[in-house]
Amino acid sequence: MSLQQLNSNSFEEIIYDDCESCLVIFSRKDCHVCKEVVPMLDELKPQYEGKFGFFYVDVEEDKNLFQRFSLKGVPQILFFANGEYQGKLAGKVEEETVEEKIAEVLNA
Amino acid sequence: MANTYDLIIIGGGPAGLSAAIYGGRARLKTLVINKGTIGGLVNTTREIVNYPGYTQVSGPDLMKDFHKHAQSFGVEFLKEEVVSVDLSQEEKTIKTKKGKEFSAKAVIIACGSEPRLLNIPGEKRLRGSGVAYCATCDAEFFEGEDVVVVGSGDQAIEEGMFITKFARKVTVIVLHDEGILDCNKVSAEKAFNNPKIEFVWNATIEEVLGVENVEGVKLKNLKTGSSSELTCQGVFFFVGMVPSTKYLIDTGIEIDRRGYIPVNDLMETNLEGVYAVGDNRIKYLRQVVSAAGDGATAAVAAERYIEELNVFNSNVLQSEKKVLLLFENALINESLEFGTLLEEVNSESADNYKIVKVDMATKKNLAHKYDIKTAPAVIVLEKGKEIKRLTCVLDKDKLKSQLC
Ligand SMILES: Cc1cc2nc3c(=O)[nH]c(=O)nc-3n(C[C@H](O)[C@H](O)[C@H](O)COP(=O)(O)OP(=O)(O)OC[C@H]3O[C@@H](n4cnc5c(N)ncnc54)[C@H](O)[C@@H]3O)c2cc1C
């Protein structure tokens, strides 16, 4: 996987201090839907190099992060720009849907 | 061409992987195209206790063994989704979502199924915000909360019990009268004895309620028709599966109203060289062990079909001698008599031609390819190309004159 994994500290830095435009997938190892969505993001990432960040949170390792966003399931892709939450996509999402959402966040 | 295979298997669950093992072992150049994780639906099963040889095994572990086994026979794997196919010709073509194209002599369809959606208000909107379909994935998010489970089959009841490890209470919504569940007896008994599980009988779910997250469900009593609301933080849907065969609609392959593919004992569909196995086909028992059996049968049938195809190619299409391709129907006397006469005429003229007989009843594809509708019929081929058609008369001289 080429997505950089975040913990509570690096999450804070990248999302809120650096205010990077990015997405963060909340995932876990034994979730079969995640295993479809994560590789899709992996492949999408190079197209957005330097423009939009792709990150990964393992909900088993960083429980407080999913509790903080009161998430109710994995996978969930959360979108951020300028240190603000821009919405999320849940479950088995298609590549096109993610691309549309990224475009929306970048153009906002 | 690099993208040409003997056998392409669409779907890498137990049915597809078993077919791959047999295909690889028969030295067919075999490719498995599977979206998602290898192993299919079995990956969602924590525990399997009814696959022979494994007293108890986790779904993903069992599938790892299947996968390794197929790899050991040289089978290739591609992680992609198939989105369109053309299976009606002798050369089958397959396109993936990323635009890759493949061709094969035979294709096995092993796409399994996906959870059925009820399409009630709130279900889609609150997915991931309390609406869930996989207990292994999501049960933990409902620690100490109230959860509703919709359905009463094996999956609903077994997953419901797993959710009680985290949730405060699990309420199961059941269509039937009190005491009747669709699941197996062992699970039913365990569920009835589980203090965290409650049941609402004769009921169905009408709506998932909530603004940001699930806050409750609206239920309908099927006996009285009255509606009621139940507060909860999560809803797990286990209302059955639908076959993942949508991309096959309108491709000429026969599919029933529910999306299942009818096949015969050899797993053959209505299209030659195309097979359907596992949960995709109409059958009595949808389990790993029967999926594996289907895969084996289809791969062996495909192997024989490919063998015949190859024989036809070398015997007929690449023949040095001119070929008389004779389409026969064993049920028509005239057809058999004509066959005898044709052999006689040929041997009297120094076996100028090679006669190859084609049984119309079993070689429908060939008949179709040459547009033959009635037997007897004869096509004269030179180096694989049609040079003429004979008028089939039971008159030796007239026949002879056509052959010189
Ligand atoms: C919760 C649950 C518990 C179960 N427990 C048991 C049990 O204990 N024992 C038992 O024997 N059986 C059990 N079963 C049944 C068993 O899982 C199925 O019968 C079996 O998985 C069917 O295998 P399959 O190969 O036909 O399909 P699947 O396992 O569904 O595999 C199909 C594969 O095809 C892929 N695919 C689909 N469409 C495409 C496409 N267009 N392009 C590429 N790939 C595609 C899918 O991603 C998937 O990987 C259970 C089922 C469920 C839902």
Side-chain angles (χ1 to χ4, degrees):
Chain A
M1 186 181 64
S2 67
L3 308 184
Q4 184 192 333
Q5 185 170 345
L6 302 180
N7 57 30
S8 314
N9 288 338
S10 50
F11 189 88
E12 207 64 38
E13 276 168 30
I14 286 173
I15 309 294
Y16 297 111
D17 298 347
D18 301 348
C19 292
E20 203 177 307
S21 293
C22 63
L23 62 79
V24 184
I25 179 156
F26 285 67
S27 177
R28 67 191 301 151
K29 287 180 199 79
D30 57 1
C31 145
H32 60 104
V33 181
C34 305
K35 287 183 197 159
E36 292 185 37
V37 178
V38 172
M40 182 264 287
L41 293 183
D42 246 346
E43 282 184 23
L44 214 51
K45 186 183 165 201
Q47 294 174 32
Y48 292 92
E49 212 66 71
K51 279 185 287 187
F52 199 85
F54 283 63
F55 300 99
Y56 176 95
V57 167
D58 188 311
V59 295
E60 275 164 301
E61 291 171 27
D62 293 282
K63 266 196 171 141
N64 61 329
L65 277 177
F66 84 74
Q67 281 161 351
R68 171 158 152 202
F69 291 97
S70 57
L71 299 184
K72 285 289 183 202
V74 283
Q76 305 241 11
I77 309 174
L78 274 62
F79 294 80
F80 297 92
N82 308 317
E84 275 175 40
Y85 170 68
Q86 306 285 330
K88 67 181 177 189
L89 296 170
K92 200 185 140 194
V93 286
E94 301 293 326
E95 192 173 326
E96 295 83 59
T97 319
V98 176
E99 288 182 302
E100 278 164 28
K101 182 77 192 169
I102 294 177
E104 186 191 311
V105 172
L106 284 174
N107 294 332
Chain B
M1 217 165 67
N3 284 349
T4 304
Y5 289 83
D6 291 322
L7 176 62
I8 291 183
I9 299 162
I10 312 177
L17 292 172
S18 303
I21 291 169
Y22 275 75
R25 180 141 195 268
R27 303 207 174 280
L28 296 176
K29 190 177 179 223
T30 304
L31 172 71
V32 176
I33 307 180
N34 181 63
K35 64 170 183 179
T37 324
I38 290 286
L41 209 57
V42 188
N43 285 315
T44 65
T45 309
R46 275 177 301 278
E47 197 177 84
I48 291 179
V49 294
N50 53 9
Y51 190 77
Y54 294 78
T55 317
Q56 191 194 40
V57 63
S58 86
D61 283 349
L62 182 63
M63 286 304 104
K64 264 184 212 131
D65 288 350
F66 273 50
H67 187 191
K68 260 192 263 158
H69 197 164
Q71 280 174 320
S72 76
F73 286 124
V75 171
E76 293 175 45
F77 286 86
L78 177 77
K79 188 171 176 156
E80 273 250 36
E81 179 179 352
V82 171
V83 288
S84 70
V85 290
D86 183 352
L87 304 175
S88 54
Q89 309 295 317
E90 192 177 293
E91 185 188 15
K92 327 277 176 211
T93 57
I94 287 172
K95 284 199 188 104
T96 68
K97 196 168 170 187
K98 300 232 169 78
K100 285 195 198 120
E101 250 188 86
F102 299 91
S103 71
K105 290 176 183 155
V107 171
I108 296 178
I109 297 161
C111 290
S113 20
E114 49 206 68
R116 186 162 78 94
L117 303 182
L118 282 186
N119 288 320
I120 53 168
E123 183 187 8
K124 204 167 172 195
R125 184 172 54 84
L126 293 166
R127 187 169 85 173
S129 301
V131 171
Y133 299 88
C134 167
T136 319
C137 312
D138 297 338
E140 189 192 329
F141 298 108
F142 300 91
E143 185 93 54
E145 297 185 329
D146 290 351
V147 168
V148 160
V149 163
V150 186
S152 75
D154 283 348
Q155 195 193 2
I157 300 304
E158 283 162 23
E159 300 295 83
M161 281 190 283
F162 178 75
I163 299 167
T164 60
K165 290 190 179 160
F166 304 94
R168 191 181 73 86
K169 187 176 85 180
V170 171
T171 308
V172 184
I173 313 300
V174 188
L175 287 174
H176 314 294
D177 284 334
E178 178 157 2
I180 302 174
L181 301 177
D182 290 326
C183 68
N184 64 73
K185 287 206 182 92
V186 180
S187 297
E189 210 148 283
K190 278 192 196 156
F192 289 137
N193 291 327
N194 187 320
K196 280 183 161 183
I197 294 191
E198 288 177 14
F199 295 90
V200 177
W201 305 101
N202 295 308
T204 181
I205 179 166
E206 284 189 307
E207 188 176 350
V208 183
L209 307 168
V211 186
E212 286 284 316
N213 288 308
V214 170
E215 293 161 25
V217 290
K218 196 162 154 194
L219 302 178
K220 182 176 176 175
N221 184 305
L222 295 169
K223 282 255 161 85
T224 63
S226 63
S227 293
S228 61
E229 285 181 13
L230 181 69
T231 303
C232 64
Q233 288 75 47
V235 195
F236 283 76
F237 286 91
F238 301 111
V239 290
M241 312 292 291
V242 285
S244 313
T245 50
K246 271 215 194 84
Y247 70 99
L248 294 170
I249 292 171
D250 295 330
T251 60
I253 193 166
E254 206 181 311
I255 305 187
D256 78 1
R257 210 167 24 86
R258 288 145 62 221
Y260 294 107
I261 302 168
V263 295
N264 61 13
D265 282 353
L266 302 184
M267 305 297 137
E268 291 171 328
T269 66
N270 63 316
L271 301 178
E272 260 198 333
V274 182
Y275 307 80
V277 293
D279 283 5
N280 276 165
R281 75 171 179 103
I282 296 175
K283 70 195 299 198
Y284 177 64
L285 179 70
R286 292 201 168 82
Q287 290 275 286
V288 178
V289 64
S290 54
D294 286 0
T297 304
V300 171
E303 182 199 350
R304 303 245 161 97
Y305 165 79
I306 291 169
E307 174 68 24
E308 273 178 21
L309 210 65
N310 291 346
V311 166
F312 183 81
N313 279 342
S314 58
N315 238 358
V316 176
L317 301 183
Q318 283 149 30
S319 164
E320 286 297 320
K321 265 191 193 177
K322 283 188 206 165
V323 172
L324 295 175
L325 198 56
L326 167 63
F327 289 86
E328 284 192 316
N329 183 340
L331 299 176
I332 299 177
N333 234 344
E334 193 206 334
S335 170
L336 297 177
E337 276 177 43
F338 179 80
T340 316
L341 184 66
L342 188 69
E343 299 214 36
E344 200 181 309
V345 169
N346 191 38
S347 68
E348 282 174 16
S349 43
D351 283 318
N352 258 337
Y353 294 87
K354 176 163 148 193
I355 297 176
V356 176
K357 293 180 177 176
V358 178
D359 179 5
M360 296 265 294
T362 56
K363 300 277 159 32
K364 293 196 186 80
N365 217 29
L366 265 186
H368 182 75
K369 181 173 166 185
Y370 289 105
D371 196 25
I372 301 291
K373 297 207 170 64
T374 50
V378 178
I379 292 179
V380 188
L381 296 167
E382 187 174 5
K383 301 211 164 67
K385 291 226 163 57
E386 175 174 341
I387 51 172
K388 73 171 170 190
R389 291 183 182 217
L390 300 188
T391 313
C392 298
V393 282
L394 283 171
D395 179 317
K396 203 166 173 180
D397 292 332
K398 280 189 185 153
L399 191 57
K400 223 173 203 167
S401 69
Q402 293 185 72
L403 283 177
C404 48

